[in-house]
Amino acid sequence: MRRAAAPHVGRPVGGGPHEVRLIGGQWKRSKLPVADRPGLRPTPDRVRETLFNWLGQDLTGWRVLDAFAGSGALGFEAASRGAASVVLLERDAALVRGLLDVKARLKADMVQVVPAEALAWMTRQAPAAFELILLDPPFDAGLAGPAVQAAQPLLVPGGWLYLEAPEPLAALPAGLREHRRLRAGAVSAQLLQVD
């Protein structure tokens, strides 16, 4: 679940529905609803665009995990760009229902929505199961380091780990190196790679 200590940046004033658009791939310009939840902050368009420029636009055949799915913007963006399978983890039941609705509307058969707590789920998975893991844990929960530790064994050699947090990780675990880094407002984004 994407939660921040600060209010959602760019939220329209008033009680209307909130949404983000996918920015690339087969579902480009498709809208994703954003539930009105305290601190829920989908990855901004600029940051998502930069991430997929770093990774390359074509993720054909990749297995992807979006471990704190929230609106699903990162995971559906990966699916839109050809990922073979995308697992969206989300613990909030209302957000899970929203992700399932989007999956059905887009006919995104490669997407699996799993109602689960991300850290516990990751510790139970087989190693080397994903080419890309997307981590955007709640900003106010101090989960960036533990999430990276739980995710690292799930990556294939040469696999990618994307982290959004209030600040970049001060020290990387052995076996991970920083490929790129970005600062956008209150968001620090790091793209890490398994050595």
Short mmCIF file of all heavy atoms in Angstrom, two decimals, residues 25-76:
data_model
loop_
_atom_site.label_atom_id
_atom_site.label_comp_id
_atom_site.label_asym_id
_atom_site.label_seq_id
_atom_site.Cartn_x
_atom_site.Cartn_y
_atom_site.Cartn_z
N GLY A 25 2.79 1.59 -23.26
CA GLY A 25 2.39 0.22 -23.55
C GLY A 25 0.98 0.09 -24.10
O GLY A 25 0.37 1.07 -24.54
N GLN A 26 0.45 -1.13 -24.04
CA GLN A 26 -0.83 -1.43 -24.69
C GLN A 26 -2.02 -0.71 -24.05
O GLN A 26 -3.04 -0.51 -24.70
CB GLN A 26 -1.09 -2.94 -24.70
CG GLN A 26 -1.28 -3.56 -23.33
CD GLN A 26 -1.63 -5.04 -23.41
OE1 GLN A 26 -2.37 -5.46 -24.31
NE2 GLN A 26 -1.12 -5.83 -22.49
N TRP A 27 -1.90 -0.34 -22.78
CA TRP A 27 -3.01 0.35 -22.10
C TRP A 27 -2.69 1.82 -21.86
O TRP A 27 -3.25 2.44 -20.96
CB TRP A 27 -3.33 -0.34 -20.77
CG TRP A 27 -3.73 -1.76 -20.94
CD1 TRP A 27 -4.61 -2.26 -21.87
CD2 TRP A 27 -3.27 -2.88 -20.20
NE1 TRP A 27 -4.72 -3.61 -21.74
CE2 TRP A 27 -3.91 -4.03 -20.72
CE3 TRP A 27 -2.39 -3.03 -19.14
CZ2 TRP A 27 -3.69 -5.30 -20.21
CZ3 TRP A 27 -2.16 -4.29 -18.64
CH2 TRP A 27 -2.80 -5.42 -19.17
N LYS A 28 -1.81 2.38 -22.67
CA LYS A 28 -1.44 3.79 -22.54
C LYS A 28 -2.70 4.65 -22.48
O LYS A 28 -3.64 4.44 -23.25
CB LYS A 28 -0.58 4.22 -23.73
CG LYS A 28 -0.06 5.63 -23.65
CD LYS A 28 0.86 5.93 -24.83
CE LYS A 28 1.41 7.33 -24.72
NZ LYS A 28 2.36 7.60 -25.82
N ARG A 29 -2.72 5.59 -21.55
CA ARG A 29 -3.82 6.53 -21.30
C ARG A 29 -5.01 5.89 -20.57
O ARG A 29 -6.00 6.57 -20.32
CB ARG A 29 -4.28 7.23 -22.58
CG ARG A 29 -3.23 8.20 -23.10
CD ARG A 29 -3.74 9.05 -24.23
NE ARG A 29 -3.78 8.39 -25.51
CZ ARG A 29 -2.73 8.17 -26.29
NH1 ARG A 29 -1.54 8.55 -25.92
NH2 ARG A 29 -2.86 7.57 -27.46
N SER A 30 -4.95 4.60 -20.24
CA SER A 30 -6.02 4.00 -19.43
C SER A 30 -5.97 4.59 -18.03
O SER A 30 -4.90 4.82 -17.47
CB SER A 30 -5.84 2.48 -19.34
OG SER A 30 -6.00 1.89 -20.60
N LYS A 31 -7.15 4.83 -17.47
CA LYS A 31 -7.24 5.45 -16.16
C LYS A 31 -7.34 4.39 -15.06
O LYS A 31 -8.04 3.39 -15.22
CB LYS A 31 -8.46 6.36 -16.10
CG LYS A 31 -8.39 7.53 -17.05
CD LYS A 31 -9.67 8.33 -17.01
CE LYS A 31 -9.64 9.45 -18.04
NZ LYS A 31 -10.91 10.20 -18.04
N LEU A 32 -6.63 4.65 -13.96
CA LEU A 32 -6.72 3.82 -12.77
C LEU A 32 -7.30 4.66 -11.65
O LEU A 32 -6.79 5.76 -11.37
CB LEU A 32 -5.34 3.30 -12.34
CG LEU A 32 -4.50 2.53 -13.34
CD1 LEU A 32 -3.18 2.11 -12.70
CD2 LEU A 32 -5.24 1.33 -13.87
N PRO A 33 -8.34 4.19 -10.98
CA PRO A 33 -8.88 4.96 -9.86
C PRO A 33 -7.91 4.95 -8.68
O PRO A 33 -7.19 3.97 -8.46
CB PRO A 33 -10.18 4.22 -9.52
CG PRO A 33 -9.97 2.83 -10.02
CD PRO A 33 -9.05 2.93 -11.20
N VAL A 34 -7.91 6.03 -7.94
CA VAL A 34 -7.10 6.13 -6.72
C VAL A 34 -8.06 6.35 -5.56
O VAL A 34 -8.73 7.39 -5.49
CB VAL A 34 -6.08 7.28 -6.81
CG1 VAL A 34 -5.29 7.40 -5.50
CG2 VAL A 34 -5.14 7.06 -7.99
N ALA A 35 -8.15 5.37 -4.70
CA ALA A 35 -9.06 5.46 -3.56
C ALA A 35 -8.66 6.61 -2.64
O ALA A 35 -7.48 6.95 -2.53
CB ALA A 35 -9.05 4.14 -2.78
N ASP A 36 -9.65 7.18 -2.00
CA ASP A 36 -9.40 8.26 -1.06
C ASP A 36 -9.03 7.65 0.29
O ASP A 36 -9.88 7.41 1.14
CB ASP A 36 -10.64 9.15 -0.95
CG ASP A 36 -10.35 10.44 -0.21
OD1 ASP A 36 -9.16 10.69 0.10
OD2 ASP A 36 -11.29 11.19 0.07
N ARG A 37 -7.75 7.32 0.45
CA ARG A 37 -7.23 6.73 1.67
C ARG A 37 -6.16 7.65 2.22
O ARG A 37 -5.37 8.21 1.45
CB ARG A 37 -6.58 5.36 1.37
CG ARG A 37 -7.55 4.27 1.03
CD ARG A 37 -8.13 3.75 2.33
NE ARG A 37 -8.73 2.46 2.21
CZ ARG A 37 -10.02 2.27 1.98
NH1 ARG A 37 -10.82 3.28 1.80
NH2 ARG A 37 -10.52 1.05 1.95
N PRO A 38 -6.09 7.83 3.53
CA PRO A 38 -5.05 8.70 4.09
C PRO A 38 -3.66 8.26 3.64
O PRO A 38 -3.28 7.11 3.80
CB PRO A 38 -5.22 8.52 5.61
CG PRO A 38 -6.62 8.04 5.79
CD PRO A 38 -6.94 7.24 4.56
N GLY A 39 -2.94 9.19 3.02
CA GLY A 39 -1.57 8.93 2.65
C GLY A 39 -1.36 8.10 1.40
O GLY A 39 -0.23 7.88 0.99
N LEU A 40 -2.42 7.62 0.76
CA LEU A 40 -2.25 6.83 -0.46
C LEU A 40 -1.72 7.77 -1.54
O LEU A 40 -2.33 8.79 -1.85
CB LEU A 40 -3.57 6.21 -0.89
CG LEU A 40 -3.51 5.32 -2.13
CD1 LEU A 40 -2.68 4.08 -1.86
CD2 LEU A 40 -4.91 4.92 -2.56
N ARG A 41 -0.55 7.44 -2.12
CA ARG A 41 0.08 8.33 -3.09
C ARG A 41 0.65 7.50 -4.23
O ARG A 41 1.75 6.96 -4.10
CB ARG A 41 1.17 9.19 -2.45
CG ARG A 41 2.01 8.48 -1.47
CD ARG A 41 3.39 9.03 -1.24
NE ARG A 41 4.17 7.90 -0.82
CZ ARG A 41 4.81 7.10 -1.65
NH1 ARG A 41 4.85 7.34 -2.92
NH2 ARG A 41 5.45 6.05 -1.19
N PRO A 42 -0.08 7.40 -5.31
CA PRO A 42 0.47 6.67 -6.46
C PRO A 42 1.76 7.32 -6.95
O PRO A 42 1.94 8.52 -6.81
CB PRO A 42 -0.62 6.80 -7.53
CG PRO A 42 -1.83 7.25 -6.81
CD PRO A 42 -1.38 7.97 -5.58
N THR A 43 2.63 6.51 -7.51
CA THR A 43 3.88 7.03 -8.07
C THR A 43 3.56 8.07 -9.13
O THR A 43 2.79 7.79 -10.06
CB THR A 43 4.70 5.88 -8.67
OG1 THR A 43 4.97 4.94 -7.64
CG2 THR A 43 6.00 6.38 -9.26
N PRO A 44 4.11 9.28 -9.02
CA PRO A 44 3.82 10.34 -9.99
C PRO A 44 4.21 9.93 -11.42
O PRO A 44 5.14 9.15 -11.63
CB PRO A 44 4.69 11.52 -9.52
CG PRO A 44 5.01 11.22 -8.09
CD PRO A 44 5.02 9.73 -7.96
N ASP A 45 3.47 10.48 -12.39
CA ASP A 45 3.71 10.16 -13.81
C ASP A 45 5.18 10.34 -14.18
O ASP A 45 5.77 9.49 -14.85
CB ASP A 45 2.87 11.06 -14.71
CG ASP A 45 1.39 10.75 -14.67
OD1 ASP A 45 0.99 9.84 -13.93
OD2 ASP A 45 0.64 11.44 -15.38
N ARG A 46 5.76 11.46 -13.77
CA ARG A 46 7.16 11.75 -14.14
C ARG A 46 8.10 10.67 -13.62
O ARG A 46 9.04 10.26 -14.31
CB ARG A 46 7.55 13.12 -13.59
CG ARG A 46 9.00 13.45 -13.79
CD ARG A 46 9.36 14.81 -13.20
NE ARG A 46 10.78 14.80 -12.89
CZ ARG A 46 11.31 15.33 -11.83
NH1 ARG A 46 10.57 15.94 -10.94
NH2 ARG A 46 12.60 15.27 -11.63
N VAL A 47 7.86 10.22 -12.39
CA VAL A 47 8.72 9.20 -11.80
C VAL A 47 8.52 7.86 -12.51
O VAL A 47 9.49 7.15 -12.82
CB VAL A 47 8.47 9.08 -10.28
CG1 VAL A 47 9.29 7.96 -9.66
CG2 VAL A 47 8.78 10.41 -9.60
N ARG A 48 7.26 7.50 -12.81
CA ARG A 48 7.01 6.25 -13.54
C ARG A 48 7.65 6.29 -14.92
O ARG A 48 8.27 5.31 -15.36
CB ARG A 48 5.50 5.99 -13.67
CG ARG A 48 4.91 5.29 -12.47
CD ARG A 48 3.46 4.91 -12.67
NE ARG A 48 2.62 6.09 -12.61
CZ ARG A 48 1.72 6.43 -13.52
NH1 ARG A 48 1.51 5.67 -14.57
NH2 ARG A 48 1.00 7.52 -13.38
N GLU A 49 7.52 7.43 -15.60
CA GLU A 49 8.13 7.55 -16.93
C GLU A 49 9.64 7.38 -16.85
O GLU A 49 10.24 6.66 -17.66
CB GLU A 49 7.77 8.90 -17.54
CG GLU A 49 8.29 9.06 -18.95
CD GLU A 49 7.77 10.32 -19.63
OE1 GLU A 49 7.27 11.23 -18.93
OE2 GLU A 49 7.90 10.38 -20.86
N THR A 50 10.26 7.99 -15.87
CA THR A 50 11.71 7.86 -15.71
C THR A 50 12.10 6.43 -15.41
O THR A 50 13.05 5.90 -16.01
CB THR A 50 12.20 8.80 -14.58
OG1 THR A 50 11.89 10.15 -14.93
CG2 THR A 50 13.69 8.66 -14.36
N LEU A 51 11.38 5.77 -14.51
CA LEU A 51 11.68 4.38 -14.19
C LEU A 51 11.66 3.50 -15.43
O LEU A 51 12.60 2.73 -15.66
CB LEU A 51 10.68 3.84 -13.14
CG LEU A 51 10.71 2.33 -12.92
CD1 LEU A 51 12.05 1.87 -12.38
CD2 LEU A 51 9.56 1.92 -12.01
N PHE A 52 10.62 3.62 -16.25
CA PHE A 52 10.52 2.74 -17.41
C PHE A 52 11.45 3.18 -18.54
O PHE A 52 11.79 2.37 -19.39
CB PHE A 52 9.06 2.58 -17.84
CG PHE A 52 8.30 1.72 -16.85
CD1 PHE A 52 7.53 2.28 -15.85
CD2 PHE A 52 8.43 0.34 -16.89
CE1 PHE A 52 6.88 1.49 -14.92
CE2 PHE A 52 7.78 -0.46 -15.96
CZ PHE A 52 7.00 0.12 -14.97
N ASN A 53 11.92 4.40 -18.52
CA ASN A 53 13.01 4.78 -19.42
C ASN A 53 14.30 4.10 -18.97
O ASN A 53 15.09 3.63 -19.80
CB ASN A 53 13.20 6.30 -19.45
CG ASN A 53 12.14 7.00 -20.27
OD1 ASN A 53 11.48 6.39 -21.11
ND2 ASN A 53 11.95 8.28 -20.01
N TRP A 54 14.54 4.05 -17.66
CA TRP A 54 15.73 3.37 -17.14
C TRP A 54 15.70 1.88 -17.49
O TRP A 54 16.72 1.30 -17.85
CB TRP A 54 15.81 3.52 -15.63
CG TRP A 54 16.12 4.87 -15.10
CD1 TRP A 54 16.64 5.94 -15.79
CD2 TRP A 54 15.94 5.32 -13.76
NE1 TRP A 54 16.79 7.01 -14.94
CE2 TRP A 54 16.37 6.67 -13.69
CE3 TRP A 54 15.46 4.71 -12.60
CZ2 TRP A 54 16.33 7.40 -12.52
CZ3 TRP A 54 15.42 5.45 -11.43
CH2 TRP A 54 15.86 6.78 -11.39
N LEU A 55 14.55 1.27 -17.32
CA LEU A 55 14.43 -0.19 -17.53
C LEU A 55 14.36 -0.56 -19.01
O LEU A 55 14.66 -1.69 -19.38
CB LEU A 55 13.18 -0.73 -16.83
CG LEU A 55 13.20 -0.71 -15.31
CD1 LEU A 55 11.81 -1.00 -14.77
CD2 LEU A 55 14.21 -1.73 -14.78
N GLY A 56 13.93 0.36 -19.84
CA GLY A 56 13.61 0.05 -21.23
C GLY A 56 12.10 -0.10 -21.33
O GLY A 56 11.44 -0.53 -20.39
N GLN A 57 11.56 0.25 -22.45
CA GLN A 57 10.10 0.28 -22.58
C GLN A 57 9.47 -1.10 -22.73
O GLN A 57 8.29 -1.28 -22.46
CB GLN A 57 9.71 1.15 -23.79
CG GLN A 57 10.18 2.58 -23.69
CD GLN A 57 9.55 3.31 -22.51
OE1 GLN A 57 8.37 3.18 -22.25
NE2 GLN A 57 10.35 4.09 -21.79
N ASP A 58 10.24 -2.08 -23.13
CA ASP A 58 9.71 -3.42 -23.42
C ASP A 58 10.11 -4.39 -22.32
O ASP A 58 11.29 -4.70 -22.15
CB ASP A 58 10.24 -3.89 -24.78
CG ASP A 58 9.65 -5.22 -25.21
OD1 ASP A 58 8.78 -5.78 -24.49
OD2 ASP A 58 10.05 -5.71 -26.28
N LEU A 59 9.14 -4.86 -21.55
CA LEU A 59 9.40 -5.82 -20.48
C LEU A 59 8.90 -7.22 -20.87
O LEU A 59 8.57 -8.03 -20.00
CB LEU A 59 8.73 -5.37 -19.19
CG LEU A 59 9.08 -3.98 -18.66
CD1 LEU A 59 8.43 -3.75 -17.30
CD2 LEU A 59 10.57 -3.76 -18.59
N THR A 60 8.85 -7.50 -22.14
CA THR A 60 8.32 -8.78 -22.62
C THR A 60 8.99 -9.95 -21.92
O THR A 60 10.22 -10.05 -21.88
CB THR A 60 8.50 -8.90 -24.15
OG1 THR A 60 7.78 -7.84 -24.78
CG2 THR A 60 7.99 -10.23 -24.66
N GLY A 61 8.16 -10.81 -21.35
CA GLY A 61 8.64 -12.02 -20.70
C GLY A 61 9.04 -11.86 -19.25
O GLY A 61 9.30 -12.84 -18.56
N TRP A 62 9.08 -10.65 -18.75
CA TRP A 62 9.52 -10.41 -17.37
C TRP A 62 8.46 -10.87 -16.38
O TRP A 62 7.26 -10.76 -16.63
CB TRP A 62 9.80 -8.94 -17.13
CG TRP A 62 11.03 -8.40 -17.79
CD1 TRP A 62 11.60 -8.83 -18.95
CD2 TRP A 62 11.83 -7.31 -17.34
NE1 TRP A 62 12.70 -8.07 -19.23
CE2 TRP A 62 12.86 -7.13 -18.27
CE3 TRP A 62 11.75 -6.46 -16.25
CZ2 TRP A 62 13.83 -6.13 -18.13
CZ3 TRP A 62 12.72 -5.46 -16.11
CH2 TRP A 62 13.74 -5.30 -17.04
N ARG A 63 8.92 -11.34 -15.23
CA ARG A 63 8.06 -11.62 -14.08
C ARG A 63 8.28 -10.49 -13.08
O ARG A 63 9.42 -10.21 -12.70
CB ARG A 63 8.43 -12.97 -13.47
CG ARG A 63 8.19 -14.14 -14.43
CD ARG A 63 8.91 -15.39 -13.98
NE ARG A 63 10.36 -15.15 -13.98
CZ ARG A 63 11.25 -15.93 -13.40
NH1 ARG A 63 10.87 -17.03 -12.75
NH2 ARG A 63 12.55 -15.66 -13.45
N VAL A 64 7.18 -9.86 -12.68
CA VAL A 64 7.25 -8.63 -11.90
C VAL A 64 6.43 -8.77 -10.62
O VAL A 64 5.33 -9.34 -10.64
CB VAL A 64 6.73 -7.43 -12.74
CG1 VAL A 64 6.75 -6.14 -11.92
CG2 VAL A 64 7.54 -7.27 -14.02
N LEU A 65 6.96 -8.24 -9.53
CA LEU A 65 6.25 -8.16 -8.26
C LEU A 65 6.10 -6.70 -7.87
O LEU A 65 7.09 -5.97 -7.80
CB LEU A 65 7.02 -8.91 -7.17
CG LEU A 65 6.50 -8.74 -5.73
CD1 LEU A 65 5.11 -9.32 -5.57
CD2 LEU A 65 7.48 -9.40 -4.75
N ASP A 66 4.86 -6.26 -7.65
CA ASP A 66 4.58 -4.93 -7.08
C ASP A 66 4.13 -5.20 -5.65
O ASP A 66 2.99 -5.59 -5.40
CB ASP A 66 3.50 -4.23 -7.90
CG ASP A 66 3.25 -2.79 -7.45
OD1 ASP A 66 3.77 -2.38 -6.39
OD2 ASP A 66 2.51 -2.08 -8.15
N ALA A 67 5.06 -5.03 -4.70
CA ALA A 67 4.85 -5.56 -3.35
C ALA A 67 3.95 -4.72 -2.46
O ALA A 67 3.42 -5.23 -1.49
CB ALA A 67 6.21 -5.76 -2.67
N PHE A 68 3.79 -3.44 -2.75
CA PHE A 68 2.89 -2.57 -1.98
C PHE A 68 2.01 -1.87 -3.01
O PHE A 68 2.17 -0.69 -3.28
CB PHE A 68 3.68 -1.56 -1.15
CG PHE A 68 4.62 -2.20 -0.15
CD1 PHE A 68 5.90 -2.59 -0.52
CD2 PHE A 68 4.21 -2.41 1.16
CE1 PHE A 68 6.77 -3.17 0.40
CE2 PHE A 68 5.07 -2.99 2.10
CZ PHE A 68 6.35 -3.38 1.71
N ALA A 69 1.07 -2.60 -3.60
CA ALA A 69 0.44 -2.19 -4.85
C ALA A 69 -0.37 -0.90 -4.77
O ALA A 69 -0.32 -0.10 -5.70
CB ALA A 69 -0.43 -3.33 -5.40
N GLY A 70 -1.16 -0.67 -3.73
CA GLY A 70 -1.95 0.55 -3.66
C GLY A 70 -2.88 0.67 -4.85
O GLY A 70 -3.77 -0.14 -5.06
N SER A 71 -2.68 1.68 -5.69
CA SER A 71 -3.49 1.89 -6.89
C SER A 71 -3.13 0.90 -8.00
O SER A 71 -3.88 0.76 -8.97
CB SER A 71 -3.30 3.31 -7.42
OG SER A 71 -1.99 3.47 -7.95
N GLY A 72 -1.97 0.25 -7.89
CA GLY A 72 -1.50 -0.67 -8.93
C GLY A 72 -0.81 0.02 -10.08
O GLY A 72 -0.47 -0.63 -11.08
N ALA A 73 -0.54 1.33 -9.97
CA ALA A 73 0.03 2.07 -11.10
C ALA A 73 1.34 1.46 -11.60
O ALA A 73 1.53 1.30 -12.81
CB ALA A 73 0.23 3.54 -10.72
N LEU A 74 2.24 1.10 -10.70
CA LEU A 74 3.52 0.53 -11.13
C LEU A 74 3.34 -0.85 -11.76
O LEU A 74 3.88 -1.14 -12.82
CB LEU A 74 4.50 0.45 -9.96
CG LEU A 74 5.10 1.76 -9.48
CD1 LEU A 74 5.86 1.56 -8.17
CD2 LEU A 74 6.00 2.36 -10.54
N GLY A 75 2.58 -1.71 -11.11
CA GLY A 75 2.39 -3.07 -11.62
C GLY A 75 1.64 -3.11 -12.94
O GLY A 75 2.03 -3.83 -13.87
N PHE A 76 0.56 -2.32 -13.06
CA PHE A 76 -0.17 -2.30 -14.33
C PHE A 76 0.66 -1.66 -15.44
O PHE A 76 0.55 -2.04 -16.60
CB PHE A 76 -1.52 -1.59 -14.17
CG PHE A 76 -2.57 -2.45 -13.51
CD1 PHE A 76 -3.05 -2.15 -12.25
CD2 PHE A 76 -3.08 -3.58 -14.16
CE1 PHE A 76 -4.01 -2.94 -11.64
CE2 PHE A 76 -4.04 -4.38 -13.56
CZ PHE A 76 -4.51 -4.06 -12.29
#
